[in-house]
Amino acid sequence: MLIQRFKGKIHRATVTEANLSYVGSITIDGTLLDAAGILEGEKVQIVNNNNGERIETYTIRGEEGSGIICLNGAAARRCQVGDIVIIIAYAYMTEDEARVFEPKVAFPNEENKL
């Protein structure tokens, strides 16, 4: 049996942009993606600490060191610039794998820098 367990997250990042006209997804500074072990194109859950919204989308790799956290497309209606979000990726694994797996967590500062 497989269970779904969190594998990586970016904890308390600040939304820098919201682009309603884009096709969809979330653009994230590549440095933050790497620190959290999240791949470009990977499905993530975004938890908005300001309004309680929870949405799912996929990631786009932003420029390293840019600090970008940009909600694109319909997701742009769920967050505002300045909102604090937690971005979580999950993985399926066996119970034995889950017991020893160590998730990666990135803790950015106010400018989304590590």
Side-chain angles (χ1 to χ4, degrees):
M1 173 176 37
L2 296 178
I3 62 169
Q4 192 174 28
R5 185 181 193 286
F6 113 82
K7 76 168 192 93
K9 75 175 176 173
I10 302 168
H11 189 76
R12 296 185 58 83
T14 303
V15 175
T16 60
E17 299 176 44
N19 184 351
L20 187 60
S21 298
Y22 197 83
V23 176
S25 67
I26 182 171
T27 304
I28 301 171
D29 179 324
T31 303
L32 294 175
L33 285 177
D34 292 345
I38 300 172
L39 302 174
E40 181 169 25
E42 187 168 353
K43 180 180 175 181
V44 291
Q45 181 182 53
I46 303 160
V47 180
N48 187 326
N49 282 7
N50 292 77
N51 63 19
E53 290 276 359
R54 288 178 174 259
I55 58 174
E56 293 180 341
T57 190
Y58 63 93
T59 61
I60 293 177
R61 186 178 191 87
E63 181 181 341
E64 280 78 5
S66 65
I68 190 169
I69 301 290
C70 179
L71 280 296
N72 299 306
R77 296 228 185 253
R78 304 297 181 120
C79 294
Q80 296 181 27
V81 171
D83 283 356
I84 303 298
V85 294
I86 300 170
I87 303 162
I88 311 163
Y90 300 89
Y92 288 101
M93 54 189 80
T94 67
E95 185 176 336
D96 288 341
E97 290 171 323
R99 289 184 186 280
V100 296
F101 180 78
E102 294 290 330
K104 292 183 177 182
V105 181
F107 295 95
N109 65 16
E110 305 80 40
E111 287 102 30
N112 294 330
K113 310 287 186 197
L114 295 176

